[in-house]
Amino acid sequence: MKYERIKEVLERLNLNSITRPKEFEGCIFSILALLDDITPNPYLKMRRLYSDASFSRGANVQSIGNKANEIAGELNIHLTKDRETVRDYILKPMYDLGILRKGYLVSDNEYENFQTDIVLDYHHYKSGNNFYVLTESFIKLLQCCEEDLNKMIKSWVRTSRAKELQIRKEANKIKYGNLHSQLIDASISIFVPKYLPGLEVIYVDNADGDRIGEEYKEKMVEANLELGLEDRFPDVILRHPETDYYWFIDAVEHDGEFDITRVEDIKKSFKRKGKRVLGFTTVYRDWKTAYSRQSTYGNLAPTTTMWIMEDAGKVYQVNSVERPCFSYYMKVKAKNTKK
């Protein structure tokens, strides 16, 4: 299997978005190693079980790392030989994405417990008999024609981890406007449709001059919502048209998170207007900004959420001592209310 083909498929699966260049190279050569159907399998028992037991039947972390280095060395490319790096930053991302499958080779003295020689989708703690093997679906991906590849990639991206990486890739494409505008644009074009489907944008504070742009004035009238000087102005207001519930987004470059005071002020303001509040999301550009702000101030209000543009495939919920797991708390509260 050619190097370029593997590289193309991995890039289209967005694996390069979560691995550094050297580790991405390691992923390519690790796959080449696990496609090797000539070199005998490193496990003696595997060779006893299967007469044609080649390396492609599966190998442990160390063996994969050594074999990948051997293949890369023929091209004068040097990869890491550190076992933990191979395991955590090369093999694990591929396993998470569905490229690799775990397996455990049962030793003879364990057979009575397992009643089988090989256990797939299982690793025994710190065992040398743990191995990785390429999934059949990924091998088919490598072997299919270009027309089928497009369909199979789309299907693959529907899986949770691949979908998460696709969202991250979309977010990182947004590179226009000033920094604050960029965050707001990402919130509207990526965060809202992915995580808040059914809510529509009725207000965006993303321009100088009149805080309510012409394109949103009609939507504000339709929602019977009027904001005055006494009100807090978030960056984005969302509304669920059927229930008249509201969600708020603030994009933070330097300050302006949804802290307890800000959240309470907005809730009181909307209560006076006869409106119901659904939730709040603070948006950061990257983990560096989020860490800088929260390690210093730790001011995100409980029950709000946080979204980080560079890691766009996840949303983080803020819990507190009073409500250690807010979503669980709400479910229990709803259940008890029904009683």
Side-chain angles (χ1 to χ4, degrees), residues 315-334:
V315 178
Y316 298 89
Q317 184 170 288
V318 182
N319 297 312
S320 67
V321 175
E322 288 77 17
R323 294 180 179 181
C325 185
F326 184 63
S327 57
Y328 175 73
Y329 166 86
M330 291 303 288
K331 287 179 182 177
V332 172
K333 183 178 178 182

Side-chain angles (χ1 to χ4, degrees), residues 47-293:
R47 297 199 299 272
R48 286 207 318 261
L49 291 172
Y50 304 100
S51 58
D52 62 342
S54 62
F55 204 93
S56 61
R57 283 278 184 181
N60 61 24
V61 173
Q62 194 68 57
S63 297
I64 294 172
N66 291 341
K67 185 65 179 175
N69 262 285
E70 180 187 321
I71 299 171
E74 295 174 2
L75 300 175
N76 204 27
I77 295 173
H78 303 286
L79 303 175
T80 179
K81 293 184 178 180
D82 180 68
R83 182 183 176 279
E84 290 186 358
T85 300
V86 173
R87 181 192 66 198
D88 296 339
Y89 300 106
I90 293 175
L91 301 183
K92 187 178 183 300
M94 292 198 289
Y95 170 76
D96 290 343
L97 199 51
I99 294 169
L100 298 180
R101 191 176 186 184
K102 289 179 179 180
Y104 178 66
L105 191 62
V106 178
S107 57
D108 293 340
N109 60 355
E110 295 177 305
Y111 186 86
E112 189 174 335
N113 294 330
F114 288 92
Q115 295 297 308
T116 185
D117 291 301
I118 293 176
V119 182
L120 290 173
D121 304 314
Y122 170 77
H123 270 182
H124 197 66
Y125 182 65
K126 289 189 175 180
S127 173
N129 286 355
N130 294 331
F131 66 87
Y132 286 98
V133 64
L134 292 172
T135 58
E136 291 182 14
S137 55
F138 181 71
I139 293 173
K140 288 178 181 176
L141 207 59
L142 294 176
Q143 294 172 340
C144 70
C145 65
E146 190 64 27
E147 185 180 341
D148 290 339
L149 179 61
N150 291 327
K151 295 177 184 176
M152 293 177 74
I153 290 287
K154 287 180 181 177
S155 176
W156 197 292
V157 169
R158 292 193 189 105
T159 65
S160 57
R161 180 58 169 158
K163 193 172 183 179
E164 177 188 317
L165 297 186
Q166 182 66 24
I167 296 170
R168 179 189 291 204
K169 184 178 180 180
E170 290 172 18
N172 289 330
K173 283 180 180 177
I174 299 178
K175 297 185 182 298
Y176 55 85
N178 64 50
L179 296 179
H180 189 242
S181 294
Q182 186 185 97
L183 273 182
I184 293 175
D185 289 339
S187 302
I188 293 170
S189 63
I190 296 173
F191 175 76
V192 173
K194 300 293 184 184
Y195 299 106
L196 298 172
L199 272 68
E200 62 176 25
V201 178
I202 65 166
Y203 166 84
V204 177
D205 185 6
N206 194 20
D208 297 327
D210 192 349
R211 300 195 75 163
I212 303 177
E214 289 297 328
E215 67 270 37
Y216 297 110
K217 285 182 178 179
E218 187 177 330
K219 292 184 177 181
M220 294 282 281
V221 170
E222 185 181 323
N224 193 27
L225 178 63
E226 187 175 341
L227 298 178
L229 294 175
E230 73 281 3
D231 294 311
R232 294 270 194 167
F233 281 74
D235 289 327
V236 181
I237 298 177
L238 303 161
R239 175 178 179 256
H240 192 280
E242 296 175 7
T243 61
D244 200 34
Y245 270 85
Y246 292 81
W247 195 286
F248 307 89
I249 295 174
D250 262 338
V252 176
E253 280 292 333
H254 306 293
D255 57 17
E257 292 91 350
F258 282 117
D259 57 18
I260 292 175
T261 302
R262 190 165 171 75
V263 165
E264 290 304 317
D265 283 351
I266 290 175
K267 283 183 175 179
K268 288 176 183 176
S269 169
F270 271 64
K271 187 176 182 180
R272 288 195 301 268
K273 301 175 193 299
K275 304 295 184 182
R276 295 177 290 183
V277 172
L278 190 58
F280 302 83
T281 301
T282 297
V283 174
Y284 292 108
R285 169 174 306 282
D286 48 38
W287 277 105
K288 182 180 179 181
T289 307
Y291 172 76
S292 174
R293 291 290 303 167

